[in-house]
Amino acid sequence: DADVTQTPRNRITKTGKRIMLECSQTKGHDRMYWYRQDPGLGLRLIYYSFDVKDINKGEISDGYSVSRQAQAKFSLSLESAIPNQTALYFCATSDLSGTHSEQFFGPGTRLTVL
Amino acid sequence: GENVEQHPSTLSVQEGDSAVIKCTYSDSASNYFPWYKQELGKRPQLIIDIRSNVGEKKDQRIAVTLNKTAKHFSLHITETQPEDSAVYFCAASPQSGYALNFGKGTSLLVTP
């Protein structure tokens, strides 16, 4: 089945380290998103991309960067990780059909920054 | 930017009762309002959505209502079952783009 996958699923790192989270999808969708989930704060948008040449900042982009290497891949980087970036990170995709369409989420990456 | 408020943050009901979760939004240009369900340890999944040209939508035991004038929308679950226990998120999408702004979530517990 077409799906959204994320690697790694769990990661523990130290303050100051560079971290990359990867997202791949086989749904053939053009739009990809990175969200962060913290208890009691819901899902907050970090970055999103509507195609390979398009990168847009979300609500909480400071401290993060992204790369859209291909239609199917969207990676999130933390250049110098800090403890308050400890969270559950979700990648999501949606397609271009219609005015709005469902976002499909990956399984999530649990990141701990010590 | 868009601000989505969601209430209550926790909700406990007995099996068979109804549950209602309410959201308000700030951007009058928002025109798409989905609801996502996230079971423990799982990814969020869309359960129902509504567009601004519709006031109500139903899918079996779940329904969503939208009041554009008051800028609020609600999720209604009837005849609740233990498997309805999860965190529910509302969201709104501004007209200018398609990224979603989520509420902070409601943790629903259905007790047998």
Side-chain angles (χ1 to χ4, degrees), chain A residues 3-4 31 33 35 37 40-43 45 48 50 90 99-103 105-107, chain B residues 31-32 36 38 42-46 51 89 93-94 97-105:
Chain A
D3 201 5
V4 183
R31 300 177 180 184
Y33 312 81
Y35 292 93
Q37 184 174 27
L41 294 180
L43 292 152
L45 183 64
Y48 60 103
F50 287 171
F90 284 103
T99 304
H100 294 285
S101 63
E102 177 179 357
Q103 288 193 16
F105 285 79
Chain B
N31 60 5
Y32 175 63
Y36 283 79
Q38 185 179 27
K42 301 284 184 66
R43 68 190 80 183
Q45 291 189 300
L46 180 74
R51 286 163 174 76
F89 294 98
S93 178
Y98 305 102
L100 295 173
N101 292 284
F102 284 88
K104 293 182 178 180

CSV table of all heavy atoms in Angstrom, one decimal, chain A residues 3-4 31 33 35 37 40-43 45 48 50 90 99-103 105-107, chain B residues 31-32 36 38 42-46 51 89 93-94 97-105:
chain,number,residue,atom,x,y,z
A,3,ASP,N,2.3,4.7,1.1
A,3,ASP,CA,2.4,5.0,2.5
A,3,ASP,C,3.4,6.2,2.7
A,3,ASP,O,4.0,6.6,1.8
A,3,ASP,CB,2.9,3.9,3.4
A,3,ASP,CG,2.6,4.0,4.8
A,3,ASP,OD1,1.9,5.0,5.2
A,3,ASP,OD2,3.0,3.2,5.6
A,4,VAL,N,3.4,6.7,3.9
A,4,VAL,CA,4.4,7.7,4.3
A,4,VAL,C,5.2,7.1,5.4
A,4,VAL,O,4.7,6.5,6.4
A,4,VAL,CB,3.6,9.0,4.9
A,4,VAL,CG1,4.7,10.1,5.3
A,4,VAL,CG2,2.6,9.5,3.9
A,31,ARG,N,2.5,17.6,-2.1
A,31,ARG,CA,2.7,18.5,-0.9
A,31,ARG,C,3.1,17.7,0.3
A,31,ARG,O,2.6,16.6,0.6
A,31,ARG,CB,1.3,19.2,-0.6
A,31,ARG,CG,0.9,20.0,-1.7
A,31,ARG,CD,-0.5,20.7,-1.5
A,31,ARG,NE,-0.8,21.5,-2.6
A,31,ARG,CZ,-1.9,22.2,-2.7
A,31,ARG,NH1,-2.8,22.3,-1.7
A,31,ARG,NH2,-2.1,22.9,-3.8
A,33,TYR,N,4.7,18.1,4.5
A,33,TYR,CA,4.7,18.9,5.7
A,33,TYR,C,5.5,18.3,6.9
A,33,TYR,O,5.5,17.1,7.0
A,33,TYR,CB,3.2,19.1,6.2
A,33,TYR,CG,2.2,19.5,5.1
A,33,TYR,CD1,1.7,18.5,4.3
A,33,TYR,CD2,1.8,20.8,5.0
A,33,TYR,CE1,0.7,18.8,3.4
A,33,TYR,CE2,0.9,21.1,4.0
A,33,TYR,CZ,0.3,20.1,3.2
A,33,TYR,OH,-0.6,20.4,2.2
A,35,TYR,N,5.5,18.5,11.1
A,35,TYR,CA,4.8,19.0,12.3
A,35,TYR,C,5.6,18.5,13.5
A,35,TYR,O,6.2,17.5,13.5
A,35,TYR,CB,3.4,18.5,12.4
A,35,TYR,CG,2.4,19.0,11.4
A,35,TYR,CD1,2.2,18.3,10.2
A,35,TYR,CD2,1.7,20.1,11.6
A,35,TYR,CE1,1.3,18.7,9.3
A,35,TYR,CE2,0.8,20.6,10.7
A,35,TYR,CZ,0.6,19.9,9.5
A,35,TYR,OH,-0.3,20.3,8.6
A,37,GLN,N,4.8,17.6,17.6
A,37,GLN,CA,3.7,17.4,18.6
A,37,GLN,C,4.3,17.4,20.0
A,37,GLN,O,5.2,16.6,20.3
A,37,GLN,CB,2.9,16.1,18.3
A,37,GLN,CG,1.8,15.9,19.3
A,37,GLN,CD,0.9,14.7,18.9
A,37,GLN,OE1,1.4,13.7,18.3
A,37,GLN,NE2,-0.3,14.7,19.3
A,40,GLY,N,-0.2,18.6,25.1
A,40,GLY,CA,-1.0,19.7,25.5
A,40,GLY,C,-0.9,20.9,24.5
A,40,GLY,O,-1.6,21.9,24.6
A,41,LEU,N,0.0,20.7,23.5
A,41,LEU,CA,0.1,21.8,22.5
A,41,LEU,C,-0.3,21.5,21.1
A,41,LEU,O,-0.3,22.3,20.2
A,41,LEU,CB,1.6,22.2,22.4
A,41,LEU,CG,2.2,22.8,23.7
A,41,LEU,CD1,3.7,23.2,23.5
A,41,LEU,CD2,1.4,24.1,24.1
A,42,GLY,N,-0.8,20.2,20.9
A,42,GLY,CA,-1.3,19.9,19.6
A,42,GLY,C,-0.2,19.7,18.6
A,42,GLY,O,1.0,19.4,18.9
A,43,LEU,N,-0.5,19.8,17.3
A,43,LEU,CA,0.4,19.7,16.2
A,43,LEU,C,0.7,21.1,15.7
A,43,LEU,O,-0.2,21.8,15.3
A,43,LEU,CB,-0.3,18.9,15.1
A,43,LEU,CG,-0.5,17.4,15.4
A,43,LEU,CD1,-1.7,16.8,14.7
A,43,LEU,CD2,0.8,16.6,15.1
A,45,LEU,N,3.0,23.4,12.9
A,45,LEU,CA,3.6,23.3,11.6
A,45,LEU,C,5.0,23.9,11.7
A,45,LEU,O,5.2,25.1,12.1
A,45,LEU,CB,2.7,24.0,10.6
A,45,LEU,CG,3.2,23.9,9.1
A,45,LEU,CD1,3.2,22.5,8.6
A,45,LEU,CD2,2.3,24.8,8.3
A,48,TYR,N,6.6,23.5,5.3
A,48,TYR,CA,5.9,22.8,4.3
A,48,TYR,C,6.4,23.1,2.9
A,48,TYR,O,7.0,24.1,2.7
A,48,TYR,CB,4.4,23.0,4.4
A,48,TYR,CG,3.9,24.4,4.2
A,48,TYR,CD1,3.3,24.8,3.0
A,48,TYR,CD2,4.0,25.4,5.2
A,48,TYR,CE1,2.8,26.1,2.9
A,48,TYR,CE2,3.5,26.7,5.1
A,48,TYR,CZ,2.9,27.0,3.9
A,48,TYR,OH,2.4,28.3,3.7
A,50,PHE,N,5.2,22.6,-1.4
A,50,PHE,CA,4.2,22.2,-2.3
A,50,PHE,C,4.8,21.5,-3.6
A,50,PHE,O,4.0,21.0,-4.4
A,50,PHE,CB,3.4,23.4,-2.7
A,50,PHE,CG,2.4,23.9,-1.7
A,50,PHE,CD1,1.7,25.1,-1.8
A,50,PHE,CD2,2.2,23.1,-0.5
A,50,PHE,CE1,0.9,25.5,-0.8
A,50,PHE,CE2,1.3,23.5,0.5
A,50,PHE,CZ,0.7,24.7,0.3
A,90,PHE,N,6.1,14.6,13.2
A,90,PHE,CA,5.4,14.0,12.1
A,90,PHE,C,5.6,14.6,10.8
A,90,PHE,O,5.6,15.8,10.7
A,90,PHE,CB,3.9,14.0,12.4
A,90,PHE,CG,3.4,13.1,13.5
A,90,PHE,CD1,3.1,13.5,14.8
A,90,PHE,CD2,3.2,11.7,13.2
A,90,PHE,CE1,2.7,12.7,15.8
A,90,PHE,CE2,2.8,10.9,14.2
A,90,PHE,CZ,2.5,11.3,15.5
A,99,THR,N,-9.8,21.6,-4.0
A,99,THR,CA,-9.3,22.8,-3.3
A,99,THR,C,-8.6,22.4,-2.0
A,99,THR,O,-7.6,23.0,-1.7
A,99,THR,CB,-10.6,23.7,-2.9
A,99,THR,OG1,-11.3,24.0,-4.1
A,99,THR,CG2,-10.1,24.9,-2.2
A,100,HIS,N,-9.0,21.4,-1.4
A,100,HIS,CA,-8.4,20.9,-0.2
A,100,HIS,C,-8.4,19.4,-0.2
A,100,HIS,O,-9.4,18.8,-0.7
A,100,HIS,CB,-9.1,21.4,1.1
A,100,HIS,CG,-9.0,22.9,1.3
A,100,HIS,ND1,-7.8,23.5,1.7
A,100,HIS,CD2,-9.9,23.8,1.1
A,100,HIS,CE1,-8.1,24.8,1.7
A,100,HIS,NE2,-9.3,25.0,1.4
A,101,SER,N,-7.5,18.7,0.4
A,101,SER,CA,-7.5,17.3,0.5
A,101,SER,C,-6.9,16.8,1.8
A,101,SER,O,-6.1,17.5,2.4
A,101,SER,CB,-6.8,16.7,-0.7
A,101,SER,OG,-5.5,17.0,-0.7
A,102,GLU,N,-7.2,15.6,2.1
A,102,GLU,CA,-6.7,15.0,3.4
A,102,GLU,C,-5.2,15.0,3.5
A,102,GLU,O,-4.5,14.7,2.5
A,102,GLU,CB,-7.2,13.5,3.4
A,102,GLU,CG,-6.8,12.7,4.6
A,102,GLU,CD,-7.4,11.3,4.6
A,102,GLU,OE1,-8.1,11.0,3.7
A,102,GLU,OE2,-7.0,10.6,5.5
A,103,GLN,N,-4.7,15.2,4.7
A,103,GLN,CA,-3.3,15.0,4.9
A,103,GLN,C,-3.1,13.7,5.5
A,103,GLN,O,-3.8,13.3,6.5
A,103,GLN,CB,-2.8,16.1,5.9
A,103,GLN,CG,-2.7,17.5,5.2
A,103,GLN,CD,-1.9,18.5,6.0
A,103,GLN,OE1,-1.2,18.1,7.0
A,103,GLN,NE2,-2.0,19.8,5.7
A,105,PHE,N,-0.5,11.2,7.5
A,105,PHE,CA,0.7,11.3,8.4
A,105,PHE,C,1.5,10.1,8.4
A,105,PHE,O,1.0,9.0,8.2
A,105,PHE,CB,0.2,11.6,9.8
A,105,PHE,CG,-0.3,13.0,10.0
A,105,PHE,CD1,-1.6,13.4,9.6
A,105,PHE,CD2,0.5,13.9,10.6
A,105,PHE,CE1,-2.0,14.7,9.8
A,105,PHE,CE2,0.1,15.2,10.8
A,105,PHE,CZ,-1.2,15.6,10.4
A,106,GLY,N,2.8,10.3,8.6
A,106,GLY,CA,3.8,9.2,8.8
A,106,GLY,C,3.6,8.7,10.2
A,106,GLY,O,2.9,9.3,11.0
A,107,PRO,N,4.4,7.7,10.6
A,107,PRO,CA,4.3,7.1,11.9
A,107,PRO,C,4.9,7.9,13.0
A,107,PRO,O,4.7,7.6,14.2
A,107,PRO,CB,5.0,5.8,11.8
A,107,PRO,CG,6.0,6.0,10.7
A,107,PRO,CD,5.3,6.9,9.8
B,31,ASN,N,-11.7,28.1,5.1
B,31,ASN,CA,-12.8,27.5,4.5
B,31,ASN,C,-12.8,26.0,4.5
B,31,ASN,O,-13.6,25.4,3.8
B,31,ASN,CB,-13.0,28.1,3.1
B,31,ASN,CG,-11.8,27.8,2.2
B,31,ASN,OD1,-10.8,27.1,2.6
B,31,ASN,ND2,-11.8,28.3,1.0
B,32,TYR,N,-11.9,25.4,5.2
B,32,TYR,CA,-11.8,24.0,5.3
B,32,TYR,C,-11.5,23.6,6.7
B,32,TYR,O,-10.6,24.1,7.3
B,32,TYR,CB,-10.7,23.5,4.3
B,32,TYR,CG,-10.4,22.0,4.4
B,32,TYR,CD1,-11.4,21.1,4.1
B,32,TYR,CD2,-9.2,21.5,4.8
B,32,TYR,CE1,-11.2,19.7,4.1
B,32,TYR,CE2,-9.0,20.1,4.9
B,32,TYR,CZ,-10.0,19.2,4.5
B,32,TYR,OH,-9.7,17.9,4.6
B,36,TYR,N,-9.2,15.2,13.1
B,36,TYR,CA,-8.3,14.1,13.1
B,36,TYR,C,-8.4,13.3,14.4
B,36,TYR,O,-8.6,14.0,15.5
B,36,TYR,CB,-6.8,14.5,12.8
B,36,TYR,CG,-6.5,14.8,11.4
B,36,TYR,CD1,-6.9,16.0,10.8
B,36,TYR,CD2,-5.9,13.9,10.6
B,36,TYR,CE1,-6.6,16.3,9.5
B,36,TYR,CE2,-5.6,14.2,9.2
B,36,TYR,CZ,-6.0,15.4,8.7
B,36,TYR,OH,-5.7,15.7,7.4
B,38,GLN,N,-6.3,10.6,16.9
B,38,GLN,CA,-5.0,10.0,17.1
B,38,GLN,C,-5.2,9.0,18.3
B,38,GLN,O,-5.3,9.4,19.5
B,38,GLN,CB,-4.0,11.1,17.4
B,38,GLN,CG,-2.6,10.5,17.6
B,38,GLN,CD,-1.5,11.5,17.9
B,38,GLN,OE1,-1.8,12.6,18.4
B,38,GLN,NE2,-0.3,11.3,17.5
B,42,LYS,N,-0.2,6.1,17.9
B,42,LYS,CA,-0.5,6.0,16.5
B,42,LYS,C,-0.4,7.4,15.8
B,42,LYS,O,-0.3,8.4,16.5
B,42,LYS,CB,-1.9,5.4,16.2
B,42,LYS,CG,-2.1,4.0,16.8
B,42,LYS,CD,-1.4,3.0,16.0
B,42,LYS,CE,-1.6,1.6,16.5
B,42,LYS,NZ,-3.1,1.2,16.4
B,43,ARG,N,-0.5,7.4,14.5
B,43,ARG,CA,-0.4,8.7,13.8
B,43,ARG,C,-1.8,9.3,13.7
B,43,ARG,O,-2.8,8.5,13.7
B,43,ARG,CB,0.1,8.4,12.4
B,43,ARG,CG,-0.8,7.6,11.5
B,43,ARG,CD,-0.1,7.2,10.2
B,43,ARG,NE,0.8,6.0,10.3
B,43,ARG,CZ,1.6,5.5,9.4
B,43,ARG,NH1,1.6,6.1,8.2
B,43,ARG,NH2,2.4,4.5,9.6
B,44,PRO,N,-2.0,10.6,13.6
B,44,PRO,CA,-3.3,11.2,13.4
B,44,PRO,C,-3.9,10.7,12.1
B,44,PRO,O,-3.2,10.6,11.0
B,44,PRO,CB,-3.0,12.7,13.3
B,44,PRO,CG,-1.7,12.8,14.0
B,44,PRO,CD,-0.9,11.6,13.7
B,45,GLN,N,-5.2,10.5,12.1
B,45,GLN,CA,-6.0,10.1,10.9
B,45,GLN,C,-7.2,10.9,10.7
B,45,GLN,O,-8.0,11.1,11.7
B,45,GLN,CB,-6.3,8.6,10.9
B,45,GLN,CG,-5.0,7.7,10.8
B,45,GLN,CD,-5.3,6.2,10.6
B,45,GLN,OE1,-6.0,5.6,11.4
B,45,GLN,NE2,-4.9,5.7,9.5
B,46,LEU,N,-7.5,11.3,9.5
B,46,LEU,CA,-8.7,12.1,9.2
B,46,LEU,C,-10.0,11.2,9.5
B,46,LEU,O,-10.1,10.1,9.0
B,46,LEU,CB,-8.7,12.6,7.8
B,46,LEU,CG,-9.9,13.4,7.4
B,46,LEU,CD1,-9.8,14.8,7.9
B,46,LEU,CD2,-10.0,13.4,5.8
B,51,ARG,N,-16.5,21.7,4.6
B,51,ARG,CA,-16.1,22.9,3.9
B,51,ARG,C,-17.1,24.0,4.2
B,51,ARG,O,-18.2,23.8,4.6
B,51,ARG,CB,-16.0,22.6,2.4
B,51,ARG,CG,-14.7,21.8,2.1
B,51,ARG,CD,-14.8,21.1,0.7
B,51,ARG,NE,-13.5,20.5,0.4
B,51,ARG,CZ,-13.1,19.3,0.9
B,51,ARG,NH1,-13.8,18.7,1.8
B,51,ARG,NH2,-11.9,18.8,0.5
B,89,PHE,N,-8.3,16.1,17.2
B,89,PHE,CA,-7.8,17.4,16.8
B,89,PHE,C,-8.7,18.0,15.8
B,89,PHE,O,-9.0,17.4,14.8
B,89,PHE,CB,-6.4,17.3,16.3
B,89,PHE,CG,-5.3,16.9,17.2
B,89,PHE,CD1,-4.9,15.6,17.2
B,89,PHE,CD2,-4.7,17.8,18.1
B,89,PHE,CE1,-3.9,15.2,18.1
B,89,PHE,CE2,-3.7,17.4,19.0
B,89,PHE,CZ,-3.3,16.1,19.0
B,93,SER,N,-8.0,25.6,7.7
B,93,SER,CA,-7.1,26.0,6.6
B,93,SER,C,-7.5,27.3,6.0
B,93,SER,O,-8.6,27.5,5.5
B,93,SER,CB,-7.2,24.9,5.6
B,93,SER,OG,-6.3,25.2,4.5
B,94,PRO,N,-6.6,28.3,6.1
B,94,PRO,CA,-6.8,29.6,5.5
B,94,PRO,C,-6.9,29.5,4.0
B,94,PRO,O,-6.4,28.6,3.4
B,94,PRO,CB,-5.6,30.4,5.9
B,94,PRO,CG,-5.0,29.7,7.0
B,94,PRO,CD,-5.3,28.2,6.8
B,97,GLY,N,-3.7,29.3,1.5
B,97,GLY,CA,-2.8,28.1,1.4
B,97,GLY,C,-3.5,26.9,1.9
B,97,GLY,O,-4.7,26.9,2.2
B,98,TYR,N,-2.7,25.9,2.0
B,98,TYR,CA,-3.4,24.6,2.3
B,98,TYR,C,-2.7,24.0,3.6
B,98,TYR,O,-3.1,22.9,3.9
B,98,TYR,CB,-3.3,23.6,1.1
B,98,TYR,CG,-3.9,24.2,-0.1
B,98,TYR,CD1,-3.1,24.8,-1.1
B,98,TYR,CD2,-5.3,24.3,-0.2
B,98,TYR,CE1,-3.7,25.3,-2.2
B,98,TYR,CE2,-5.8,24.9,-1.3
B,98,TYR,CZ,-5.0,25.4,-2.3
B,98,TYR,OH,-5.6,26.0,-3.5
B,99,ALA,N,-1.8,24.7,4.2
B,99,ALA,CA,-1.3,24.1,5.5
B,99,ALA,C,-2.4,24.3,6.5
B,99,ALA,O,-3.2,25.2,6.5
B,99,ALA,CB,-0.1,24.9,5.9
B,100,LEU,N,-2.4,23.3,7.5
B,100,LEU,CA,-3.5,23.3,8.5
B,100,LEU,C,-3.0,23.9,9.8
B,100,LEU,O,-1.8,23.7,10.2
B,100,LEU,CB,-3.9,21.8,8.8
B,100,LEU,CG,-4.6,21.1,7.6
B,100,LEU,CD1,-4.8,19.6,8.0
B,100,LEU,CD2,-5.9,21.7,7.3
B,101,ASN,N,-3.9,24.6,10.5
B,101,ASN,CA,-3.6,25.1,11.8
B,101,ASN,C,-4.5,24.2,12.7
B,101,ASN,O,-5.7,24.2,12.6
B,101,ASN,CB,-4.0,26.6,11.9
B,101,ASN,CG,-3.1,27.5,11.1
B,101,ASN,OD1,-2.0,27.7,11.5
B,101,ASN,ND2,-3.6,27.9,10.0
B,102,PHE,N,-3.8,23.5,13.7
B,102,PHE,CA,-4.5,22.6,14.5
B,102,PHE,C,-4.9,23.2,15.9
B,102,PHE,O,-4.1,24.1,16.4
B,102,PHE,CB,-3.6,21.4,14.8
B,102,PHE,CG,-3.6,20.4,13.6
B,102,PHE,CD1,-2.6,20.6,12.6
B,102,PHE,CD2,-4.5,19.3,13.6
B,102,PHE,CE1,-2.6,19.7,11.6
B,102,PHE,CE2,-4.4,18.4,12.5
B,102,PHE,CZ,-3.5,18.6,11.5
B,103,GLY,N,-6.0,22.7,16.5
B,103,GLY,CA,-6.2,23.0,17.9
B,103,GLY,C,-5.3,22.1,18.7
B,103,GLY,O,-4.6,21.3,18.2
B,104,LYS,N,-5.4,22.3,20.0
B,104,LYS,CA,-4.4,21.6,20.9
B,104,LYS,C,-4.9,20.2,21.3
B,104,LYS,O,-4.2,19.5,22.0
B,104,LYS,CB,-4.2,22.5,22.2
B,104,LYS,CG,-3.5,23.8,21.9
B,104,LYS,CD,-3.2,24.6,23.2
B,104,LYS,CE,-2.5,25.8,22.8
B,104,LYS,NZ,-2.2,26.7,24.0
B,105,GLY,N,-6.1,19.8,20.9
B,105,GLY,CA,-6.5,18.5,21.1
B,105,GLY,C,-7.4,18.3,22.2
B,105,GLY,O,-7.4,19.0,23.2
